[in-house]
Amino acid sequence: MTTDGEPRGRDEWSPTHEVASTGDRADEVAADTRLVAVACEFGDEARLTMSTDDVNDRSPHTQRVLDAELDRLPADASDGANPIWRATLPGDADALVRALTVADPEVDGPLGEARWRVWDVQRIEVRHDGRPIYRSIPHHARFELAAGERPELVERARERLTDLPCAVVPTGPVATWGDGGELTHRTLRFEAGSGASLAHVRRVAVDRDRREIVVDWESVGERVRDEPNRALRTVLRAFAWTADRLGASESPPHRVAFGDGTEFRRAVEGVETVRERVGYDFEVAEV
């Protein structure tokens, strides 16, 4: 049993869909808030986990909603960790969405003074009959839905995100190959390493004679130049300097070779599929 009296098995999380974004943090936060509103149409309870119980200096309207309109769970119901507020649905849906809405104007790049929405909001979860149907972890850019029993949740989610550079896509791999190679809607994972974000791909060259895919990545220097957030620019600049001093590569591997023709064709089709579904602007070219 959990500390709030629920069997642990009921909290198993098996998302069917996730959000893949080609925008910035502000776009992701906007998508998250809209998806919370959509999920509230299908849920009977929501829980908002914060890193602190006081955001008054960063978002006064959020603090007012937390204090006056949502129920804070006792410390023993949240394992004594981060504070949690509960919204009973559908009655508290509007209050929850208002608490999560960024009201401040942008200052110094996306979100500006509203960075609390990424870092102070630890997790949002909307449940139906005790089971999560939507869960987000903003600072990890994870926004996921469990729609196995309610496909209309995905349809409504896609409708709400049509004007944002964000797509609701199936979770899991689109293509796999070799010993651990994997393509998802968000990442390309090479056999010998961890996944690299598709948001940093400039071009994919397909060599059918050699059964190779050659990926042209943005350099860290380009990412530093294009990053609107001053703090992240500093981090990326320090990483690029360290990589240069150590003689390390600042980009993932460029070339993926396939011994199996079927795996190669599936990988190429997968690259084209994720580009179309998510809206990536990288080029796919035959060489």
Side-chain angles (χ1 to χ4, degrees):
M1 299 287 287
T2 63
T3 53
D4 57 359
E6 295 182 15
R8 290 194 182 277
R10 291 177 69 83
D11 193 43
E12 293 178 358
W13 181 233
S14 299
T16 59
H17 292 76
E18 63 180 341
V19 172
S21 171
T22 59
D24 55 32
R25 287 286 198 181
D27 295 315
E28 293 170 356
V29 163
D32 185 25
T33 303
R34 294 186 191 186
L35 292 178
V36 169
V38 168
C40 284
E41 299 173 11
F42 297 84
D44 52 35
E45 181 189 56
R47 297 198 175 191
L48 169 61
T49 304
M50 303 286 288
S51 65
T52 175
D53 59 5
D54 186 1
V55 292
N56 193 57
D57 62 331
R58 298 179 291 288
S59 182
H61 79 277
T62 297
Q63 192 67 51
R64 287 193 295 270
V65 173
L66 295 179
D67 290 342
E69 300 186 57
L70 299 180
D71 296 324
R72 180 170 176 175
L73 297 182
D76 60 352
S78 57
D79 294 326
N82 295 319
I84 299 176
W85 281 263
R86 176 170 54 201
T88 301
L89 305 175
D92 294 336
D94 179 68
L96 177 62
V97 171
R98 281 189 285 110
L100 295 170
T101 299
V102 174
D104 295 334
E106 291 186 0
V107 179
D108 187 29
L111 290 183
E113 297 305 315
R115 296 188 187 96
W116 65 270
R117 184 57 178 79
V118 173
W119 300 106
D120 289 331
V121 176
Q122 291 289 295
R123 186 167 82 167
I124 310 163
E125 186 173 277
V126 180
R127 302 177 178 183
H128 176 77
D129 193 24
R131 298 180 184 275
I133 60 173
Y134 178 73
R135 179 179 290 176
S136 71
I137 304 176
H139 62 283
H140 287 164
R142 300 299 305 183
F143 313 101
E144 299 170 324
L145 304 95
E149 299 178 0
R150 46 189 66 81
E152 62 273 20
L153 172 59
V154 174
E155 296 173 9
R156 285 284 293 122
R158 286 174 172 159
E159 289 173 2
R160 291 290 285 123
L161 301 188
T162 52
D163 62 336
L164 290 175
C166 302
V168 178
V169 296
T171 56
V174 178
T176 59
W177 59 87
D179 186 17
E182 180 181 270
L183 173 71
T184 73
H185 289 91
R186 292 159 53 97
T187 61
L188 174 61
R189 187 174 72 197
F190 295 86
E191 296 177 12
S194 58
S197 173
L198 294 175
H200 304 309
V201 174
R202 290 187 298 199
R203 182 175 183 268
V204 176
V206 177
D207 188 333
R208 296 189 183 275
D209 292 335
R210 295 176 178 269
R211 290 181 185 167
E212 290 183 344
I213 293 176
V214 181
V215 184
D216 181 19
W217 301 92
E218 287 181 345
S219 68
V220 173
E222 291 172 303
R223 292 168 59 188
V224 170
R225 180 196 65 202
D226 296 336
E227 174 54 55
N229 184 285
R230 184 166 50 194
L232 289 179
R233 280 201 306 272
T234 301
V235 172
L236 288 170
R237 191 176 292 114
F239 173 78
W241 181 86
T242 302
D244 181 66
R245 293 274 294 183
L246 296 176
S249 172
E250 62 182 40
S251 297
H254 288 271
R255 190 177 303 273
V256 186
F258 297 81
D260 181 87
T262 300
E263 289 184 345
F264 171 71
R265 287 189 294 274
R266 288 176 179 169
V268 172
E269 291 171 359
V271 169
E272 294 171 340
T273 295
V274 299
R275 182 184 62 164
E276 179 179 351
R277 286 179 177 172
V278 179
Y280 293 115
D281 60 4
F282 59 76
E283 175 190 8
V284 179
E286 301 273 348
V287 296

